[in-house]
Amino acid sequence: MYIYKIIIKNFRNIESLEWNPNKKINVLFGHNGCGKSNVAQALNLLFSTSKKGDYFELSDYYQKNEENKIVIQAWLNEIDDLEIEDKDRAIQYITKDDQIVNEDTNLQDCKEMLIVQLTNDNDKRMLWSLVTNTEEIKFNLYARKNINYSFVSTQRSPTKELSFGYQTLLQEIIKEEIDEELKEISNEAIELINNKLEKSEIIKTFLEKSLKIDEEINGADKYKIIAKEFIGNKAYNNLELGITKENYNLPLESQSTGIQNLLLLSLMKKKLEGRGIVFIEELEQNLEPKNQIYILDQYKKLKVGQLFITSHSPDIIESFDYFNIYFMNDNKIKQLFELVGKDSLKEICKANKKSFIASVMSKRVILVEGESEYNSIPVYISKFGKYIDYSLIPIEGKGNFNKYIDALNKIDIKPFIITDNDTDLKISDVKIWARKCDKVYISKNDYEDWIYPYINENLKKLEEYMDFNKVKGTVFSKDNEDIKNELEHKSKENINTYEDLKDMKYTIRYMLHKSFAGSYYTRLLANLLVENDYIPEQFTLFMDNILENKQLKIYDKSLSNTFLLEEF
């Protein structure tokens, strides 16, 4: 059995939503406040097996308006193994295009469904039913238990659920597997404690002196201190889950929230194994990156009927196949490849799946031409001193801009572009980009020119990162007139250190491009710059414009959103 279709109307911030989830795995992501948690809460209420609270709150109504009747439906398919009362009476037939039909019509190619519904009466009371096109059949608590639905909310409490208290997750699993063993060990411990208490002369003397009452009045022979027996729900009162480190036993509560959550999710996986429909909110919550990847790997192996996961983590989202990934926005949930286009998304995901997913959740998406800008801009932003909600995508050459722009436009994102004003830049391309982008920024030269002013004054610092002899041969062998002129002017024999390249602009630019390219050296040099309070002028102009709309030179007068990274 699985959920074929979800319909939610007038519930919290969801006015109207219809979603046909994947039969097996569904990874739901979107901006904070888009409604992911409310989808989860709606299903949790629909399949609730709690005996407490069967009234909606005012805050559950869309726009807090009680006249907006709440409707939550789940259409259940492949229901042969589901055993509930009135099942045959409640079966509804659905066409390929999800239309409800009568039994007396042609049922060829129709699917059998159970439509489970939760709505409200005028007193806000929750009303559960199985819906057909002719009637609504009461769907009681016992029937809901047979759905086999499990919900793991963000409100997880590791210290409680991993305790030996009443009706905790740990106790539930212990009772199934090691209950008798624990009781046997505990009773042996009680017997040992009582023997030691009995033999203690210090305790015996204390009791005889402190509780000396005439036996004719009290009727007791003597008093003892005894260990409590492990009985019923209090059988584990003296036990707790702990961790051993360097031969010390430490209680769970002494561990970090991250470790507690890791243990809870590991234990919870055991409980969820083999369940029917499972909905987990934010699997990554309170976990550091390496533990996110570990727990994700464990849960991807979880054998359940149908799995729903919400997430804000690009690392988690990108690890799933693109047809399992759904984006929620404006009361709509769509498969990512359905929104963007299957072929486009496949090509993008080969190189930039994580960056593309992160961009969908960002306020500003910045497309950059190469790896140098992609690796350096985050370093400069961290130093700039102003917060910016952004995501960067490297597109590897001007020829790929249109592909990414079109994909982002399909999910209502108009990106920003930073590109070089070099020989392969065409005004016809800029015009196309400008129509589909928020702003297009054109650097008067390439990235090496951005950092040249600082590097030229601090050439000696490069010795810390690379031996000059490794660079020398590459520079000297370049067949370029500008570089040849600089080398002849200074004479190759006089060039033996980085500092000897001072003011040789073309040579330094080529050296940076050839020997200090790649993500490692780009980040290294960017950090070197910001550590010495230097931020490239072009980047500062870009940030000032994007955040404060500071005027820049217009690249083309007919295109008001195209700018040169030069001061006005």
Side-chain angles (χ1 to χ4, degrees):
M1 180 183 66
Y2 69 96
I3 298 176
Y4 170 81
K5 189 184 190 77
I6 296 167
I7 297 175
I8 303 172
K9 294 180 180 179
N10 299 317
F11 181 68
R12 299 186 181 175
N13 72 334
I14 299 174
E15 182 179 13
S16 180
L17 178 144
E18 292 191 13
W19 177 27
N20 289 82
N22 191 286
K23 183 177 178 179
K24 288 293 182 183
I25 297 174
N26 302 272
V27 182
L28 183 59
F29 78 109
H31 301 282
N32 281 327
C34 69
K36 301 184 301 296
S37 293
N38 289 336
V39 172
Q41 290 296 337
L43 290 177
N44 190 41
L45 288 174
L46 179 63
F47 298 123
S48 172
T49 58
S50 172
K51 296 178 182 179
K52 299 177 182 178
D54 56 356
Y55 286 86
F56 285 109
E57 301 288 340
L58 179 61
S59 58
D60 290 326
Y61 289 81
Y62 180 68
Q63 296 182 338
K64 295 186 178 180
N65 185 348
E66 295 175 39
E67 294 181 6
N68 294 324
K69 188 175 183 179
I70 294 172
V71 176
I72 302 169
Q73 286 186 357
W75 296 15
L76 303 178
N77 197 9
E78 297 186 3
I79 51 177
D80 292 346
D81 295 333
L82 180 61
E83 296 181 3
I84 57 171
E85 190 178 352
D86 294 321
K87 173 182 166 182
D88 292 338
R89 178 180 155 202
I91 286 176
Q92 184 61 63
Y93 292 92
I94 308 296
T95 64
K96 286 182 178 179
D97 56 353
D98 291 355
Q99 298 300 309
I100 296 174
V101 297
N102 298 321
E103 287 189 45
D104 56 0
T105 59
N106 183 3
L107 300 179
Q108 186 176 359
D109 297 326
C110 287
K111 305 181 187 75
E112 287 188 354
M113 301 275 180
L114 279 181
I115 300 178
V116 183
Q117 177 175 277
L118 170 61
T119 186
N120 61 281
D121 63 15
N122 292 333
D123 296 321
K124 303 181 190 172
R125 182 187 294 273
M126 295 181 182
L127 304 173
W128 286 270
S129 60
L130 296 172
V131 178
T132 73
N133 58 342
T134 59
E135 63 178 326
E136 293 185 10
I137 305 163
K138 189 174 181 181
F139 190 55
N140 60 28
L141 179 65
Y142 176 76
R144 296 199 297 275
K145 287 183 177 179
N146 288 329
I147 296 297
N148 195 10
Y149 176 83
S150 300
F151 176 55
V152 181
S153 79
T154 53
Q155 306 301 314
R156 300 194 271 273
S157 178
T159 51
K160 178 189 172 211
E161 293 297 335
L162 295 174
S163 74
F164 284 82
Y166 179 55
Q167 288 188 332
T168 65
L169 174 64
L170 182 61
Q171 190 196 51
E172 180 183 335
I173 293 176
I174 279 174
K175 280 190 172 182
E176 293 174 359
E177 300 194 23
I178 58 171
D179 183 62
E180 292 303 318
E181 177 73 6
L182 276 178
K183 285 182 177 176
E184 184 178 337
I185 293 171
S186 298
N187 287 328
E188 289 174 0
I190 289 169
E191 187 177 344
L192 177 63
I193 292 169
N194 282 332
N195 285 336
K196 286 188 170 291
L197 290 169
E198 176 80 20
K199 293 176 181 178
S200 173
E201 291 297 327
I202 295 173
I203 294 172
K204 182 179 179 181
T205 303
F206 167 79
L207 293 173
E208 286 177 350
K209 289 182 177 180
S210 303
L211 298 174
K212 190 173 183 180
I213 302 174
D214 194 306
E215 64 181 60
E216 288 191 14
I217 296 174
N218 193 44
D221 294 330
K222 58 181 179 180
Y223 294 95
K224 291 182 177 181
I225 292 177
I226 58 176
K228 285 184 178 181
E229 290 187 27
F230 294 91
I231 301 172
N233 294 329
K234 297 182 179 181
Y236 309 119
N237 271 7
N238 293 325
L239 301 177
E240 65 178 335
L241 188 65
I243 293 174
T244 299
K245 282 190 176 181
E246 297 177 357
N247 297 322
Y248 287 97
N249 291 329
L250 302 171
L252 181 67
E253 62 187 25
S254 71
Q255 301 305 300
S256 68
T257 304
I259 294 297
Q260 291 179 18
N261 272 278
L262 182 65
L263 292 171
L264 176 60
L265 287 167
S266 297
L267 194 64
M268 196 172 287
K269 178 180 178 287
K270 189 175 183 67
K271 178 186 176 182
L272 294 173
E273 199 72 51
R275 294 294 179 98
I277 301 165
V278 175
F279 202 121
I280 304 171
E281 283 194 287
E282 296 183 30
L283 187 63
E284 72 272 13
Q285 190 182 53
N286 293 319
L287 298 179
E288 61 180 286
K290 70 172 183 179
N291 289 340
Q292 287 183 23
I293 301 304
Y294 169 78
I295 210 68
L296 171 65
D297 181 65
Q298 297 301 305
Y299 271 76
K300 286 178 79 171
K301 298 172 185 174
L302 185 65
K303 294 178 181 177
V304 296
Q306 187 179 29
L307 178 64
F308 294 83
I309 293 175
T310 67
S311 180
H312 289 109
S313 168
D315 287 312
I316 284 183
I317 299 165
E318 72 143 348
S319 70
F320 289 90
D321 291 329
Y322 61 86
F323 54 80
N324 295 130
I325 301 172
Y326 290 82
F327 176 60
M328 184 170 186
N329 190 37
D330 293 334
N331 283 338
K332 295 181 181 70
I333 297 175
K334 295 285 187 181
Q335 269 181 320
L336 199 56
F337 82 74
E338 181 185 346
L339 282 168
V340 175
K342 190 173 182 178
D343 293 335
S344 295
L345 188 63
K346 271 187 174 180
E347 194 169 344
I348 287 170
C349 286
K350 286 176 184 176
N352 279 314
K353 187 176 183 181
K354 181 178 174 180
S355 296
F356 187 79
I357 288 167
S359 73
V360 176
M361 295 185 283
S362 302
K363 184 177 179 179
R364 299 176 185 87
V365 180
I366 305 167
L367 303 180
V368 293
E369 193 173 341
E371 287 290 326
S372 296
E373 293 86 353
Y374 178 69
N375 286 288
S376 62
I377 285 177
V379 179
Y380 301 139
I381 286 178
S382 68
K383 181 68 175 178
F384 196 70
K386 293 180 182 178
Y387 174 74
I388 175 171
D389 179 358
Y390 77 101
S391 181
L392 279 177
I393 303 179
I395 57 91
E396 293 301 329
K398 294 179 177 64
N400 289 322
F401 272 126
N402 280 323
K403 182 194 311 175
Y404 283 85
I405 294 168
D406 290 342
L408 290 164
N409 284 174
K410 287 176 182 176
I411 44 182
D412 298 323
I413 293 174
K414 296 184 76 174
F416 298 80
I417 280 180
I418 300 177
T419 188
D420 299 333
N421 190 13
D422 46 24
T423 54
D424 61 345
L425 182 68
K426 300 174 183 176
I427 185 64
S428 57
D429 289 334
V430 177
K431 287 181 176 180
I432 294 171
W433 303 338
R435 287 198 300 269
K436 299 184 286 187
C437 291
D438 195 311
K439 292 179 180 179
V440 177
Y441 296 94
I442 298 165
S443 175
K444 59 185 176 183
N445 34 40
D446 55 26
Y447 179 72
E448 286 74 29
D449 276 306
W450 287 32
I451 64 174
Y452 168 76
Y454 176 84
I455 296 297
N456 187 47
E457 298 298 326
N458 296 273
L459 285 163
K460 186 173 177 59
K461 292 181 183 290
L462 298 182
E463 294 174 0
E464 300 175 25
Y465 308 124
M466 189 181 296
D467 190 320
F468 182 71
N469 289 321
K470 292 182 179 180
V471 174
K472 189 174 179 179
T474 303
V475 173
F476 285 2
S477 63
K478 177 62 177 172
D479 186 17
N480 174 277
E481 285 302 315
D482 293 318
I483 294 175
K484 283 181 179 179
N485 290 337
E486 287 181 338
L487 292 173
E488 287 175 9
H489 178 73
K490 187 162 280 193
S491 180
K492 291 183 181 180
E493 292 75 19
N494 295 326
I495 301 174
N496 297 297
T497 68
Y498 284 108
E499 290 178 290
D500 295 332
L501 298 176
K502 184 80 164 63
D503 296 329
M504 296 172 65
K505 182 177 180 179
Y506 296 104
T507 307
I508 291 173
R509 287 175 64 250
Y510 178 71
M511 174 192 70
L512 292 172
H513 177 74
K514 198 70 178 175
S515 298
F516 289 87
S519 57
Y520 173 76
Y521 282 110
T522 302
R523 287 194 297 268
L524 202 66
L525 292 181
N527 278 290
L528 172 64
L529 267 61
V530 299
E531 284 169 8
N532 290 276
D533 297 320
Y534 182 90
I535 296 178
E537 177 193 11
Q538 289 91 335
F539 175 77
T540 302
L541 292 170
F542 163 72
M543 288 293 287
D544 285 342
N545 180 266
I546 205 172
L547 290 177
E548 299 175 6
N549 211 26
K550 185 177 179 180
Q551 277 193 303
L552 297 173
K553 285 184 181 179
I554 297 292
Y555 171 75
D556 187 286
K557 290 181 180 180
S558 66
L559 305 170
S560 61
N561 64 337
T562 62
F563 302 97
L564 287 168
L565 287 177
E566 299 177 33
E567 286 199 73
F568 185 72

